[in-house]
Amino acid sequence: MSKKITAAITAVGGYVPEDKLTNFDLEKMVDTNDEWIRTRTGIEERRILRGEGKATSDMVVPAVKELCRKRGIDPSEIECMIVATVTPDMVFPATANIACDKLGAKNAWGFDVSAACSGFLYSLTLGASLIESGRYKKVVVVGADKMSAIIDYSDRTTCIIFGDGAGALLLEPNEEGLGVQDSILRSDGSGCQYLHMKAGGSLRPATVETVMAKQHYIYQDGQPVFKFAVKGMADVSAELLERNQLTGDDIAWLVPHQANLRIIDATANRMGLSREKVMINIQKYGNTTAGTLPLCLWDWEKQLKKGDNIVLAAFGGGFTWGATLLKWAYDPI
Ligand code: UT7
């Protein structure tokens, strides 16, 4: 009997732009201060993609190139690329298509997934299913957002939070039971009112009025989002442990969405995990939306060991949320 195929992560790539926007820079732009931002969110600086004609795909490309270099493959070997993003280069075609063209990934088909901060988890589950089906051998899953493109830098409630960045993973079949083990994914459209972009879709197409009313920027009512996020992320993470008969002691790492240090702490507490087991890079990148989870794995790759149990957890606009359990597939190179 043939063995069950699982989807193992076999390489990680990442990209963050060089330009930094610090809390002190923001102090000069809006009525805020470093202390407020650090204590309320944990953020110290974020990266911003600057330059005429630069878009999300320009962060996807170096992230995927790095992953191909590390794995020793050519982009033409990629069979499918899924890009999680809410800041696509254009409404259509998909950023995945544009990035594949720039990469020379001639044999890949691809598409974008719009699930805000949970986009990467949704995409990882989709990518893993393609591998598990036995039909695909090399699937690239990317989380990438140029949040600076949709931020109103005169709105202190949102401009302090978000940054730009991209992370990418390669998924390949595994017969040792390594890779994606289980996922719990949820969504609740009634949360739309708290976190959305008012115009630019078919409901309210772009007009001079929508631009004048600043309706093409992120709108967030922070407090209710905070409350739902704490509960949502902690609940699914605890449920995932329970249904896999695991406790915090069995988990090597928690990879939480980097939206707010207080939400991260609440999730870790609920899972019975100490801070040393939690990946936190919010201080240097802020919230890169779909980019946060793969950028954590990119930053921590050298500390991950074959067989490590890793829980990824996210919460975001939609509302969307979820958690995924992984068994890491390789030792540090
Ligand atoms: O990734 C997608 C999911 N998003 C999230 O998970 C975000 C969840 N929400 C949050 O992280 C937090 O709600 C925020 C960081 C957005 C805001 O923190 P908060 O502790 O909820 O602050 P608040 O909105 O309750 O505001 C408290 C006070 C207010 O002043 P008053 O009314 O008490 O006088 C705000 O006007 O802080 C004020 N304030 C600021 N002060 C200095 C709001 N933004 C700022 C600011 N600098 N940037």
Side-chain angles (χ1 to χ4, degrees):
M1 212 175 79
S2 63
K3 283 195 179 163
K4 189 183 168 217
I5 298 169
T6 51
I9 293 164
T10 55
V12 183
Y15 177 81
V16 288
E18 272 176 29
D19 266 3
K20 292 175 183 172
L21 181 68
T22 68
N23 291 351
F24 299 102
D25 294 328
L26 286 163
E27 283 184 0
K28 294 178 207 136
M29 296 160 67
V30 287
D31 180 16
T32 190
N33 59 77
D34 173 59
E35 212 251 328
W36 192 96
I37 302 172
R38 266 189 300 106
T39 52
R40 297 286 181 131
T41 69
I43 302 169
E44 292 167 22
E45 58 188 36
R46 26 348 258 126
R47 302 300 182 94
I48 305 293
L49 183 67
R50 297 196 200 277
E52 191 67 26
K54 294 278 183 207
T56 296
S57 66
D58 296 302
M59 298 190 291
V60 174
V61 168
V64 177
K65 272 190 180 159
E66 183 188 347
L67 161 164
C68 289
R69 183 179 48 72
K70 282 179 172 167
R71 186 67 182 135
I73 63 165
D74 188 82
S76 61
E77 293 175 55
I78 299 168
E79 294 167 301
C80 177
M81 175 142 77
I82 307 173
V83 177
T85 187
V86 287
T87 51
D89 290 22
M90 300 177 184
V91 173
F92 72 91
T95 304
N97 294 34
I98 296 168
C100 280
D101 179 47
K102 289 182 179 176
L103 280 160
K106 292 187 179 62
N107 298 308
W109 60 284
F111 55 96
D112 291 357
V113 166
S114 173
C117 301
S118 310
F120 185 77
L121 278 192
Y122 280 31
S123 302
L124 181 59
T125 301
L126 280 169
S129 307
L130 294 177
I131 297 283
E132 287 157 8
S133 75
R135 286 189 62 184
Y136 294 91
K137 306 270 183 283
K138 284 187 174 51
V139 175
V140 169
V141 180
V142 188
D145 271 300
K146 183 187 170 190
M147 296 307 290
S148 60
I150 57 168
I151 293 295
D152 173 4
Y153 283 96
S154 66
D155 173 11
R156 70 176 182 172
T157 67
T158 50
C159 75
I160 55 141
I161 298 170
F162 295 97
D164 303 338
L169 304 180
L170 177 64
L171 297 176
E172 295 186 79
N174 185 279
E175 291 193 355
E176 295 176 77
L178 300 167
V180 177
Q181 306 291 305
D182 192 13
S183 278
I184 299 175
L185 301 174
R186 301 253 190 269
S187 70
D188 177 1
S190 68
C192 168
Q193 58 183 307
Y194 304 114
L195 183 48
H196 58 261
M197 188 192 287
K198 294 193 184 304
S202 58
L203 174 67
R204 211 172 285 139
T207 62
V208 171
E209 288 73 29
T210 62
V211 173
M212 297 303 286
K214 296 186 167 189
Q215 291 180 343
H216 296 271
Y217 294 124
I218 280 194
Y219 167 85
Q220 177 170 260
D221 186 354
Q223 274 191 8
V225 179
F226 185 92
K227 267 189 224 149
F228 279 100
V230 168
K231 188 168 166 12
M233 242 165 81
D235 279 357
V236 284
S237 304
E239 192 184 335
L240 189 70
L241 288 192
E242 221 170 281
R243 92 173 181 192
N244 285 278
Q245 282 109 43
L246 298 171
T247 68
D249 292 343
D250 304 307
I251 302 302
W253 296 99
L254 169 65
V255 190
H257 173 50
Q258 310 282 306
N260 189 310
L261 199 49
R262 292 179 289 148
I263 301 174
I264 293 173
D265 282 339
T267 306
N269 286 342
R270 179 78 179 278
M271 293 170 72
L273 293 177
S274 58
R275 263 275 183 104
E276 306 84 71
K277 286 183 167 186
V278 185
M279 295 188 193
I280 298 171
N281 59 14
I282 191 172
Q283 71 284 359
K284 52 181 188 171
Y285 306 143
N287 181 349
T288 55
T289 301
T292 60
L293 300 179
L295 280 173
C296 279
L297 293 171
W298 183 56
D299 272 351
W300 264 263
E301 188 191 14
K302 287 198 165 54
Q303 295 179 56
L304 305 179
K305 293 195 267 324
K306 188 172 175 180
D308 276 354
N309 284 322
I310 300 178
V311 172
L312 299 102
F315 186 93
F319 291 135
T320 57
W321 69 105
T324 292
L325 175 67
L326 288 181
K327 244 186 213 311
W328 197 249
Y330 56 96
D331 285 321
I333 306 147

